[in-house]
Amino acid sequence: MIIPDDYLQTFVVECKELLEQMEESLLVIEKDPTNPDIINAIFRAAHTIKGSAGLFGLEFIVEFTHTAESVLDRARSGEIVINSNLTALFIAVHDHLATLVEHVVEGSTPSTETTDFGKRLTAQLEVYLGKEIKEVSFPPVQKLNVSEQSSTGDQVGADHWHLSLRFGTDVFRNGMDPFSFVRHLSKLGTIVQLVTIIDAIPSAEEMDPESCYLGFEISFRSEASKTDIDNVFNFVRSDCEIHILPPNSKISEYQKLIQELPEQEMRLGELLVNCGTLTPDELKRVLQVQSEISTDEPQRPIGEVLVEQQMVSPPVVEAALKKQEQVREHKKAEANLIRVDADKLDELINLVGELIIAGAGTSLIAQKAGMADLMESTATLSRLVEEVRDSALALRMVQIGATFNRFQRVVRDVSKELGKEINLVISGAETELDKTVVEKIGDPLTHLVRNSMDHGIEPAEVRIARGKPVKGTLKLNAYHDAGSIVIEVTDDGGGLNKAKILSKAIERGLVDENANLSDKEIYNLIFEAGFSTADAISNLSGRGVGMDVVRSNIQALRGRIELDSVEGQGSTIRIRLPLTLAIIDGFMVGVGDTTFVVPLDMVVECIELRAWASDEGDGQYLNLRGEVLPYRRLRDYFDTKGEVVRRENVVVVRYGEHKAGLVVDKLMGEFQTVIKPLGQLFKGEKGIGGFTILGNGEVALIVDVPGLMTQIEHEKDSRE
Amino acid sequence: MPKKKEQGNHLAIEGEFTIYTVGELKEQILGALLANDEFEMDLSAVEEFDAAGLQLLIMTKKGASALNRKFRLTGCSAAVLSLLDLSGLASFFGDSLTYAKSKEAIA
């Protein structure tokens, strides 16, 4: 069958988008296995892929997706619970689908290997469907079968321990605090949810404040053995009713638990749902079996009461579900998007740039002509042009969140590969930056993240020995600062070993043996070419290629990279990038006959050289209100000709943590600047970042503040 | 013995609010609950707070609603908040806490 190319293209783009959504949902569902929205999202993705593939006659996709869809459909109706096994399986399904879609792109048919892999996955999926056949053949009308099935094979989906504690009245008098056990417990693992049972506290008059009436229901995630968990309660054993249920216990065990505990069963059921131990559906099954057992007894009313309680359960279930939803508001806002070709956007930005230049020309003419009406009109016009510029640029701005979220998967996979437990914490996901920058930051960021996981975060044994939580934490953060976006990759690992880096650097001849380097300078040596301090070279990183490539990638985006580290506590890598590559707000200054533009975001203040700041004599530093400020005369720096003025001004600029003063002749005010790149000839020039065309047709150079500052630092070093 | 300032329907507890002091405090709280329509407690100076203290606080809240009294917490120290958080009972006291805040805002 011949498919028109653009339709196929649309299909592929759509599939990739759906697969991305599917992956995102799969990663979230591990944390929230019952959320119907997430299950629906996964189902919809599979369903749509199957449907569109069918339209194009791509039988191999349809066939494979069909089984997955059926399993998901069962999950959607609550017949099966999505546990971690099933999630892992679906991630494999997702990956396989991605491979199949790639084949569509290439126009090839899958190899036998791929097909076999698909068949194996299908077989695994069918296990989840096989159960359906069994259950249909034993319809729930046959009470005995149902209860027997639940007591033999029916497991609960939640993969955490469940602890029920009811403390005896003398616990306080024996000098113990129930919460101390909770704190102790949290050292063995993670407390997912803790509910304090206060039902047993008597009325105010009757209560003895020195008796304990408390109890806990705890859902607890841990690798520890049952004995280890049990041992936590050694001191309180005689005084406390303790029930410990391992992960994925059978429904029948929960029934037993509910019967043994003192509270009413509906209340208990609610608590178990609150703890996340049972899903509402599982609770229903527990209670259903309970009520069926009761009907065996001669007294009908009890059965009826229980059935009535069944009637009560839907709102309980609903309430519990609602709460879960509120807690995790992971719902994606319904996307209302138009797909636009990136080239068209670039063209628009380019035109807006020309418009700005033309507008500046017009207002200059208006000023010369001295026509008040025309000047007013051009003022309005330039305000509008400015707004058009901003919204045109905003079109290109995307949130960094999507890029960050991709790392959920990277961290998941790599931590499995390395056998380390690592948690990814994302913040500042809503920070926006230019799309081209986002596209180019992905690879360096992946490298940094992998590097932090491989070398930064220590193996579990080392972490325990150092008294750190077993689970390592990796943080991705983004924020805006002084016209740049800052992206941070932070780990709580071992940090960098200063001595080791220094000796290696000396060995490789990167620094002089007697060089006196600050901590920061030492850390930043790792970005030099051919540098690796890792003792072992692993599959992932440590080959010494990398950090220097990362740095040159970042520098190509007019950005900077730096590293902070505390030995034994972890490191932070900070990437600083310009928000956009095309248009900036500039501050125009004049030196002699030449005009320069300083990016406005970096300008802190302007002062008159003689009135406010005094030269400390060596012509290198100013005393700015008691602060030492390195400064340069742009006239000297760029060797500019022209008349010398009497009153010079200092423009104080800031980039990152550095401040510097630039001495200029004239301050000429704000100006919208379209950055035009300089030709190849000027590639080596560090102090100039580009040029722009002024309204009168003249060319102004744009000062590259970061470049200039490095230059100043270098001069300082070479003098010392 | 805990220091406290008592002003009819206002009870400020300072220092320990633990098993060592609950015996005495219970009598005061109960007395104040019975005598007043509105009752407030200030826990902002509590340095130690344990399960027994928490339990007494729960009793106060429950007792107040049983007796149809208005009860609010005008302040909680970090020790109190951290245990409320750990026990998952912060929402149980939620309305008393927010009420305390809005009251402050008006005043």
Side-chain angles (χ1 to χ4, degrees):
Chain A
M1 172 176 173
I2 299 154
I3 308 157
D5 261 3
D6 9 334
Y7 288 147
L8 197 61
Q9 185 116 29
T10 316
F11 166 73
V12 169
V13 171
E14 212 180 80
C15 275
K16 283 188 176 162
E17 237 162 60
L18 286 166
L19 284 171
E20 214 165 279
Q21 280 171 17
M22 187 170 171
E23 184 177 34
E24 221 168 86
S25 309
L26 279 169
L27 293 171
V28 190
I29 205 156
E30 285 194 323
K31 291 170 199 150
D32 189 4
T34 52
N35 189 327
D37 287 346
I38 304 177
I39 300 175
N40 262 331
I42 303 173
F43 173 79
R44 266 200 309 273
H47 181 73
T48 315
I49 292 173
K50 186 183 113 177
S52 336
L55 280 178
F56 289 111
L58 299 164
E59 282 308 325
F60 56 99
I61 295 187
V62 177
E63 212 173 291
F64 176 70
T65 323
H66 177 74
T67 328
E69 188 196 354
S70 315
V71 175
L72 284 168
D73 196 29
R74 294 202 63 213
R76 205 163 63 132
S77 57
E79 287 168 74
I80 48 173
V81 176
I82 299 199
N83 55 20
S84 53
N85 287 339
L86 195 55
T87 314
L89 181 58
F90 268 106
I91 287 182
V93 166
H94 162 269
D95 290 352
H96 187 66
L97 270 175
T99 325
L100 294 181
V101 171
E102 275 309 308
H103 279 296
V104 176
V105 177
E106 292 166 7
S108 55
T109 38
S111 65
T112 37
E113 215 173 297
T114 319
T115 321
D116 284 349
F117 182 68
K119 276 183 188 149
R120 274 207 298 283
L121 284 177
T122 311
Q124 281 179 47
L125 285 169
E126 271 164 359
V127 174
Y128 290 89
L129 293 175
K131 221 168 159 188
E132 178 179 52
I133 302 157
K134 211 191 277 170
E135 265 176 30
V136 168
S137 58
F138 296 111
V141 191
Q142 298 176 333
K143 275 177 253 157
L144 254 174
N145 273 335
V146 170
S147 62
E148 196 169 284
Q149 196 190 19
S150 358
S151 59
T152 49
D154 227 3
Q155 290 184 347
V156 167
D159 57 347
H160 45 61
W161 297 82
H162 187 89
L163 281 68
S164 297
L165 306 169
R166 297 292 179 274
F167 294 95
T169 49
D170 284 335
V171 169
F172 292 155
R173 288 189 200 94
N174 294 339
M176 284 176 287
D177 183 350
F179 284 104
S180 64
F181 301 107
V182 175
R183 290 190 184 103
H184 194 143
L185 200 61
S186 60
K187 284 181 193 155
L188 287 181
T190 322
I191 292 178
V192 181
Q193 189 69 261
L194 181 145
V195 178
T196 306
I197 313 297
I198 53 173
D199 304 33
I201 301 178
S203 70
E205 287 85 353
E206 288 161 25
M207 176 189 156
D208 173 1
E210 287 171 9
S211 295
C212 181
Y213 304 100
L214 298 175
F216 296 134
E217 293 290 328
I218 303 169
S219 51
F220 180 60
R221 187 165 288 141
S222 170
E223 302 286 303
S225 68
K226 185 163 182 172
T227 342
D228 285 343
I229 296 177
D230 205 35
N231 282 345
V232 171
F233 305 101
N234 272 346
F235 294 110
V236 77
R237 195 166 308 282
S238 58
D239 254 346
C240 179
E241 201 183 319
I242 306 165
H243 298 274
I244 302 174
L245 286 184
N248 301 324
S249 287
K250 288 172 193 155
I251 289 274
S252 54
E253 310 248 9
Y254 286 97
Q255 285 158 12
K256 218 171 105 202
L257 174 73
I258 289 183
Q259 276 163 359
E260 281 172 10
L261 289 174
E263 285 86 9
Q264 250 210 334
E265 62 180 37
M266 270 314 293
R267 165 90 178 121
L268 277 167
E270 218 176 305
L271 289 171
L272 289 173
V273 172
N274 279 349
C275 279
T277 300
L278 292 184
T279 64
D281 275 344
E282 285 164 347
L283 171 63
K284 238 192 247 170
R285 268 187 288 164
V286 171
L287 292 178
Q288 206 166 8
V289 178
Q290 198 96 314
S291 69
E292 272 158 10
I293 291 167
S294 306
T295 40
D296 291 343
E297 287 165 19
Q299 281 177 310
R300 282 295 292 172
I302 296 170
E304 272 169 27
V305 170
L306 286 169
V307 171
E308 236 178 60
Q309 284 183 344
Q310 280 285 93
M311 301 287 282
V312 183
S313 83
V316 174
V317 169
E318 235 166 79
L321 278 174
K322 245 200 194 125
K323 217 178 136 201
Q324 278 182 331
E325 262 173 69
Q326 279 169 355
V327 177
R328 309 178 190 87
E329 274 234 332
H330 225 93
K331 260 168 105 186
K332 278 171 84 182
E334 280 297 309
N336 190 6
L337 302 169
I338 303 176
R339 234 189 289 272
V340 180
D341 199 337
D343 290 343
K344 284 189 184 165
L345 269 186
D346 288 344
E347 203 183 309
L348 176 67
I349 304 259
N350 225 341
L351 281 174
V352 172
E354 297 298 329
L355 190 61
I356 290 169
I357 293 170
T362 314
S363 48
L364 209 73
I365 294 167
Q367 252 165 16
K368 272 191 194 151
M371 290 169 65
D373 289 358
L374 187 59
M375 269 156 70
E376 203 182 314
S377 142
T378 50
T380 320
L381 196 64
S382 49
R383 186 175 54 81
L384 287 172
V385 169
E386 209 168 304
E387 276 172 27
V388 171
R389 175 202 65 169
D390 285 347
S391 42
L393 281 181
L395 289 180
R396 296 184 53 91
M397 297 295 249
V398 289
Q399 296 195 347
I400 199 166
T403 312
F404 275 3
N405 278 332
R406 282 219 308 265
F407 287 103
Q408 294 278 15
R409 177 73 191 271
V410 174
V411 170
R412 189 192 139 100
D413 289 356
V414 174
S415 56
K416 281 222 172 104
E417 199 173 318
L418 293 170
K420 294 176 185 176
E421 259 188 85
I422 297 168
N423 208 359
L424 179 68
V425 181
I426 289 173
S427 50
E430 66 294 333
T431 316
E432 288 190 327
L433 76 169
D434 198 279
K435 189 161 170 17
T436 31
V437 182
V438 165
E439 278 163 6
K440 290 182 179 156
I441 196 68
D443 287 349
L445 213 50
T446 312
H447 196 91
L448 293 176
V449 167
R450 281 170 165 255
N451 215 46
S452 288
M453 284 193 287
D454 197 8
H455 303 311
I457 290 170
E458 317 92 321
E461 314 86 65
V462 181
R463 291 187 68 87
I464 293 168
R466 288 184 180 170
K468 290 184 185 180
V470 180
K471 213 167 180 183
T473 307
L474 190 76
K475 279 188 204 146
L476 283 174
N477 185 24
Y479 55 92
H480 285 160
D481 178 53
S484 339
I485 179 169
V486 181
I487 302 169
E488 290 179 336
V489 182
T490 309
D491 65 65
D492 66 345
L496 292 177
N497 186 334
K498 254 187 293 176
K500 208 158 138 192
I501 294 174
L502 199 55
S503 65
K504 193 96 171 187
I506 293 167
E507 185 192 310
R508 301 246 160 132
L510 292 170
V511 287
D512 191 70
E513 208 162 326
N514 302 315
N516 196 2
L517 297 177
S518 70
D519 285 6
K520 231 182 188 150
E521 282 168 319
I522 296 176
Y523 291 142
N524 288 312
L525 282 174
I526 64 159
F527 294 114
E528 296 299 326
F531 201 96
S532 171
T533 52
D535 298 319
I537 289 173
S538 79
N539 188 15
L540 292 168
S541 41
R543 287 178 212 273
V545 239
M547 290 308 245
D548 60 317
V549 178
V550 170
R551 185 171 68 169
S552 51
N553 275 344
I554 303 284
Q555 280 174 345
L557 294 169
R558 292 198 282 123
R560 290 282 176 280
I561 186 164
E562 58 183 33
L563 193 145
D564 266 337
S565 180
V566 179
E567 199 167 346
Q569 288 177 31
S571 334
T572 299
I573 296 169
R574 213 166 278 122
I575 300 172
R576 193 174 277 275
L577 293 167
L579 276 185
T580 168
L581 302 170
I583 302 176
I584 54 164
D585 271 319
F587 186 72
M588 242 198 310
V589 295
V591 181
D593 303 331
T594 320
T595 313
F596 288 100
V597 176
V598 182
L600 188 65
D601 296 321
M602 296 176 185
V603 176
V604 183
E605 60 180 330
C606 298
I607 45 174
E608 203 187 314
L609 180 60
R610 219 151 313 147
W612 287 99
S614 54
D615 192 332
E616 293 294 279
D618 60 354
Q620 303 295 337
Y621 294 101
L622 287 177
N623 180 351
L624 175 70
R625 294 183 291 264
E627 191 184 337
V628 179
L629 186 75
Y631 83 103
R632 274 299 166 283
R633 285 173 199 277
L634 284 189
R635 177 185 290 273
D636 297 345
Y637 189 84
F638 292 115
D639 202 12
T640 324
K641 304 273 180 310
E643 224 176 296
V644 180
V645 290
R646 225 151 39 90
R647 278 203 218 162
E648 288 172 308
N649 289 293
V650 183
V651 180
V652 181
V653 291
R654 182 174 81 95
Y655 181 70
E657 292 159 11
H658 301 286
K659 262 174 148 186
L662 306 174
V663 179
V664 300
D665 294 350
K666 271 180 290 179
L667 302 175
M668 295 154 83
E670 287 177 37
F671 173 72
Q672 285 183 55
T673 311
V674 184
I675 301 179
K676 304 267 182 190
L678 288 171
Q680 281 292 319
L681 195 60
F682 302 100
K683 222 183 156 194
E685 176 52 56
K686 285 278 180 332
I688 298 172
F691 74 97
T692 185
I693 300 165
L694 300 178
N696 56 12
E698 276 177 32
V699 167
L701 296 174
I702 298 166
V703 178
D704 177 10
V705 175
L708 199 66
M709 282 188 181
T710 347
Q711 207 69 344
I712 293 175
E713 299 252 311
H714 268 293
E715 281 173 37
K716 192 176 76 187
D717 291 346
S718 60
R719 257 196 320 281
E720 279 161 5
Chain B
M1 181 190 145
K3 284 181 269 170
K4 69 235 158 224
K5 281 175 274 175
E6 211 182 330
Q7 249 181 6
N9 61 356
H10 183 87
L11 182 67
I13 302 176
E14 288 167 25
E16 273 193 50
F17 187 2
T18 63
I19 180 68
Y20 301 107
T21 60
V22 284
E24 197 180 337
L25 284 170
K26 190 217 158 179
E27 296 310 314
Q28 285 178 13
I29 292 174
L30 189 58
L33 263 186
L34 290 171
N36 300 291
D37 284 343
E38 292 189 17
F39 175 58
E40 44 183 50
M41 269 165 92
D42 181 4
L43 305 181
S44 50
V46 171
E47 280 154 28
E48 279 181 54
F49 188 57
D50 68 357
L54 176 68
Q55 193 176 276
L56 190 62
L57 201 60
I58 297 164
M59 179 215 84
T60 313
K61 165 94 180 156
K62 278 182 152 185
S65 55
L67 292 166
N68 211 7
R69 304 287 200 260
K70 277 185 188 152
F71 168 63
R72 59 187 165 260
L73 293 167
T74 57
C76 289
S77 68
V80 175
L81 286 177
S82 94
L83 200 67
L84 284 185
D85 209 28
L86 183 65
S87 64
L89 286 173
S91 62
F92 177 73
F93 290 102
D95 53 338
S96 313
L97 283 166
T98 43
Y99 187 57
K101 266 182 211 147
S102 63
K103 179 100 189 217
E104 261 167 44
I106 293 160

